[in-house]
Amino acid sequence: MRRALKRQLEAGGYRVQVAEDGTAALQLLESGPVEVVLSEIELPPMGGRQLLAEIRQKLPLAVLLLMSGRLPAPASLLPSLPLLEKPFRTEQLAQVIDQALAGASE
């Protein structure tokens, strides 16, 4: 799914970096600025919640988005974050990203 999303988002004009897990994602953050992070809720070995909490500390202005194939997600997860239910269309994801970026710039 990562590779397919990467190709589709790049075709839509987004610059995309992909990480295999939470640890790799945190390492990617060291390579340059990141505006949006899309993470699976269940992300071994570090859960999506832990990953996003660490990203929030390092990049407080980054837009954080969650996706899951197991809904409903626990309300305690991070209720203020957009949650995409899998499967979703790339157009839906692009719309959520654009809306989140627009909201972040206000």
Side-chain angles (χ1 to χ4, degrees):
M1 180 172 192
R2 285 188 307 265
R3 290 184 198 144
L5 278 176
K6 180 180 187 331
R7 280 193 310 273
Q8 292 168 353
L9 288 171
E10 287 175 337
Y14 297 94
R15 191 176 69 224
V16 180
Q17 296 183 40
V18 177
E20 292 183 20
D21 58 36
T23 303
L26 290 174
Q27 291 171 348
L28 270 178
L29 294 178
E30 305 299 325
S31 68
V34 174
E35 290 183 84
V36 177
V37 175
L38 172 64
S39 177
E40 169 64 54
I41 290 173
E42 296 179 18
L43 185 69
M46 163 189 317
R49 272 193 291 204
Q50 181 183 352
L51 172 64
L52 295 179
E54 291 191 35
I55 291 171
R56 181 61 74 212
Q57 287 181 342
K58 294 179 181 201
L59 299 169
L61 299 179
V63 172
L64 306 177
L65 307 171
L66 292 169
M67 62 181 168
S68 179
R70 295 183 184 185
L71 291 181
S76 64
L77 185 61
L78 289 173
S80 63
L81 296 180
L83 179 61
L84 291 159
E85 181 178 358
K86 294 191 285 186
F88 52 82
R89 295 187 328 269
T90 306
E91 297 83 20
Q92 290 173 288
L93 175 57
Q95 182 179 21
V96 169
I97 291 171
D98 291 342
Q99 289 173 346
L101 287 171
S105 65
E106 293 177 354

